[in-house]
Amino acid sequence: MNRKNLIWGLLVALAIAAFLSPFASPSPDGLERVAEDKGFLHLAEGKELFHALMPDYVFPGIASEGLATSLAGLVGTLLVFGAMYLLSRVFVRPKGNAGKGRS
Amino acid sequence: MHIPDGFLDPKIWVGASALSAGALAAAVSNTRKVLEDRQVPALGVMAAFIFAAQMINFPVAGGTSGHLLGGALAAILLGPWSAGLILTTVLVIQMLFFYDGGLTALGANVLNMAVIAPWVAYGAYRLVGGLFKGNAGRTVATFLAAWLSVMAAALACSLEIAFSGTVPLAVVLPAMLGWHALIGIGEGLITVVVVSFVSRLWGLEQTGQKSYAGGAQ
């Protein structure tokens, strides 16, 4: 997989996060729906153990809901890419590629 | 299928966290052996793609939605060990920054979506892919692997919630499997499209190189 395709892949991910996320279905997902129907959704209410920066994928301080979701998506996608990249670089410490330079 | 705080009791979330920690340790040591330098960016891109795709809930039926889990996608393209690390990274960021999935439930969510889903997908993909040759066979194997990975994660999630004493298994299991049988179809379709697209790209550049995609059996 060459560098060009990887950059395209990241751009596709960013585009999905930015442009499709405001149009995602607001309906509850499978587990949430089951919890609602079977009467145990209330167990999750008020159980937050810390304050997350962007709860419900909404970037704080933005009036437009669509824009706030897009921004949260963009930030999250970059965070995940960065975290995964650093983790596999540092933590997994891949062996060198037979004298080839890093790409 | 991100379990929030409040659904699981301590014995279940501690137990699930221990299992996940063991699986992650194994994943790190295995990935360390097989991962090559040039594959590192691919892990990052796959994780980013799965995060973004997980934001896009698609409606299934009756006011319920689902989204890609990505366990099968990552396992088929990059192998089950790397998939575990990728999905774990996604789940940790989702929990820390977006509070999607609970803090105490993180171990259970990792177990369901980063361990069970990729391994079930990988096993099914190898098994079914070995039975049917060619492109059609690979498509069928990919679809089934993705569908089964969602069902397996839903099964594990139901067991964890039921054994926590939250709700009886006979109540939660049929409901979870019913909705996720539908959500799994979406998972299957998205996985088939992305796998065939990416393996065509790789097929052009990586001829002869080890790849999990493209029938490594």
Side-chain angles (χ1 to χ4, degrees):
Chain A
M1 185 136 68
N2 64 27
R3 180 178 267 195
K4 200 178 100 200
N5 283 335
L6 286 167
I7 292 170
W8 273 111
L10 186 59
L11 286 177
V12 167
L14 289 168
I16 291 171
F19 299 122
L20 291 184
S21 65
F23 302 103
S25 165
S27 299
D29 74 355
L31 174 61
E32 205 180 337
R33 175 60 188 267
V34 171
E36 215 173 274
D37 287 352
K38 306 302 175 189
F40 60 96
L41 190 59
H42 66 277
L43 292 175
E45 278 155 21
K47 288 283 161 55
E48 286 83 8
L49 296 168
F50 63 94
H51 182 74
L53 209 62
M54 296 167 270
D56 288 327
Y57 299 90
V58 173
F59 197 87
I62 306 280
S64 154
E65 203 182 308
L67 190 61
T69 304
S70 290
L71 272 175
L74 281 175
V75 172
T77 304
L78 288 172
L79 274 172
V80 168
F81 175 78
M84 187 75 250
Y85 189 90
L86 284 177
L87 267 181
S88 36
R89 263 265 180 274
V90 178
F91 198 40
V92 176
R93 283 202 304 268
K95 49 190 184 287
N97 197 3
K100 262 175 142 181
R102 297 193 160 186
S103 58
Chain B
M1 195 187 315
H2 295 55
I3 304 174
D5 286 319
F7 283 7
L8 303 179
D9 76 353
K11 73 172 188 300
I12 294 294
W13 64 254
V14 170
S17 302
L19 285 175
S20 293
L24 279 182
V28 166
S29 91
N30 272 280
T31 310
R32 184 174 293 180
K33 271 181 231 150
V34 297
L35 193 72
E36 289 170 33
D37 234 16
R38 61 189 171 76
Q39 292 171 318
V40 165
L43 263 65
V45 170
M46 178 61 78
F49 178 83
I50 289 175
F51 173 85
Q54 286 203 1
M55 284 187 76
I56 316 304
N57 284 60
F58 48 82
V60 284
T64 302
S65 72
H67 61 69
L68 184 80
L69 287 190
L73 177 64
I76 290 169
L77 289 176
L78 297 167
W81 295 115
S82 297
L85 299 182
I86 289 168
L87 268 292
T88 302
T89 303
V90 170
L91 287 166
V92 169
I93 300 280
Q94 285 172 332
M95 188 274 289
L96 282 178
F97 290 90
F98 305 94
Y99 223 121
D100 193 9
L103 175 61
T104 58
L106 179 66
N109 284 324
V110 166
L111 184 64
N112 302 344
M113 291 183 268
V115 181
I116 293 173
W119 280 101
V120 166
Y122 184 69
Y125 181 76
R126 295 298 295 262
L127 201 71
V128 180
L131 294 177
F132 308 101
K133 296 288 168 201
N135 265 335
R138 203 176 305 150
T139 303
V140 171
T142 303
F143 183 89
L144 279 177
W147 187 82
L148 279 172
S149 73
V150 173
M151 292 300 271
L155 170 67
C157 175
S158 305
L159 290 172
E160 288 149 8
I161 291 172
F163 289 142
S164 293
T166 303
V167 63
L169 187 63
V171 170
V172 69
L173 186 61
M176 280 295 282
L177 292 185
W179 286 117
H180 286 93
L182 295 176
I183 294 169
I185 296 173
E187 180 92 15
L189 294 176
I190 297 170
T191 306
V192 163
V193 169
V194 179
V195 166
S196 73
F197 182 75
V198 174
S199 35
R200 203 171 321 151
L201 280 183
W202 284 358
L204 293 174
E205 336 163 335
Q206 283 203 323
T207 327
Q209 284 178 15
K210 190 185 172 196
S211 161
Y212 285 90
Q217 54 276 91

